[in-house]
Structure formats: C-alpha cells, structure tokens
Amino acid sequence: MDIKNVTHSLSVSDQVTSDDLLTLKNAGYGTIICNRPNAEGVEQPTAESLAERATELGLHWHWLPITPGQFSDEDIAQFGELLGKAERSQEPVLAFCRTGTRAITLWALSQATKVPSTQLVQQASAAGYDLSGLAPRLDSLFQG
C-alpha cells in the first residue's frame, strides 16, 4: 500500500488488503472508500471481505466501484458527499483503487465546481498523479 496525501483530510492509495486496514486504523484514518470493482485482479480481495474487516476495526467503509474512465455525475456527487461527511466529523479519509488514479480523479471532479482546475491538477501532481488531461472537464465544471 502506497499512501499519497492529497489534502489535510484525504489520502489515496493503490489496492488495500485486509492487513492494511489495521495499519490505516492505527494511522488515524476513520473512513475508507473503495473505488475498485470486484474481480479486476486475480489476487484482489473482495470489497465484501474488506468491508467486514473494516467494520470489525470500527472504520467507516464505503464501496463506490468505478470502471476505469467511467465517472458518472452520480458517482462524483456521491464521492463528494462521502468526503463532506467525513470532513464534518473530522475523520481522515483514504480512498483507493488499483493505482489510486480513479480515487484522485473522483476527488478532483467532486471539487471542480468550487476549486480552479489549475489548483486541483497541481495538488494531484504533488501526490504523484498527472490529471492535466482532465483539466478541460474540470474547467467546464468550475463555478467559482
């Protein structure tokens, strides 16, 4: 698991395992968002098995599976709502998928109405993700 900090309340990572969940709990994360559909990889744990372990540990678990490149308005809004709820309760969030790209893309899209694309792309770049190709879509959403 390679955790990348994006904001003070959000980090993203590649695939999380059941053993990683205890590490995340001990690191102070309170909410975990899985953006990976089941069965993308042979050795990938199921969302259900991870959810069970997360619940045992007292973590808030959310499964918002995203097929690569397919970010619906509903998915984006739901991700934003999950982040907002965690922020209000001051729970750090870790969102993950196979590489972290879907998770950080959802974050950028969920913030695009209120944050300029240049800032979102810069924050993603600082975390090691190139979202420059997403800038036109981010610009079209900005209402700031």
Side-chain angles (χ1 to χ4, degrees), residues 34-41 44-50 63 65:
C34 174
N35 296 128
R36 195 166 187 202
N38 280 332
E40 276 192 327
Q44 172 190 349
T46 65
E48 294 81 10
S49 67
L50 292 173
W63 188 38

Side-chain angles (χ1 to χ4, degrees), residues 96-127:
F96 76 93
C97 56
R98 187 178 67 79
T99 65
T101 301
R102 280 173 273 184
I104 201 163
T105 300
L106 274 170
W107 163 78
L109 289 167
S110 74
Q111 303 303 300
T113 59
K114 55 191 176 227
V115 179
S117 66
T118 53
Q119 183 178 337
L120 295 170
V121 170
Q122 183 179 25
Q123 283 180 267
S125 179

Side-chain angles (χ1 to χ4, degrees), residues 63-141:
W63 188 38
L64 181 58
I66 304 294
T67 301
Q70 297 182 18
F71 301 94
S72 72
D73 290 343
E74 181 180 295
D75 293 332
I76 295 163
Q78 186 175 357
F79 190 85
E81 289 171 17
L82 293 172
L83 287 181
K85 181 178 179 183
E87 285 178 357
R88 285 187 297 280
S89 62
Q90 299 182 338
E91 286 186 351
V93 175
L94 180 103
F96 76 93
C97 56
R98 187 178 67 79
T99 65
T101 301
R102 280 173 273 184
I104 201 163
T105 300
L106 274 170
W107 163 78
L109 289 167
S110 74
Q111 303 303 300
T113 59
K114 55 191 176 227
V115 179
S117 66
T118 53
Q119 183 178 337
L120 295 170
V121 170
Q122 183 179 25
Q123 283 180 267
S125 179
Y129 296 92
D130 180 4
L131 296 187
S132 58
L134 189 62
R137 184 170 178 188
L138 296 172
D139 285 337
S140 72
L141 298 170

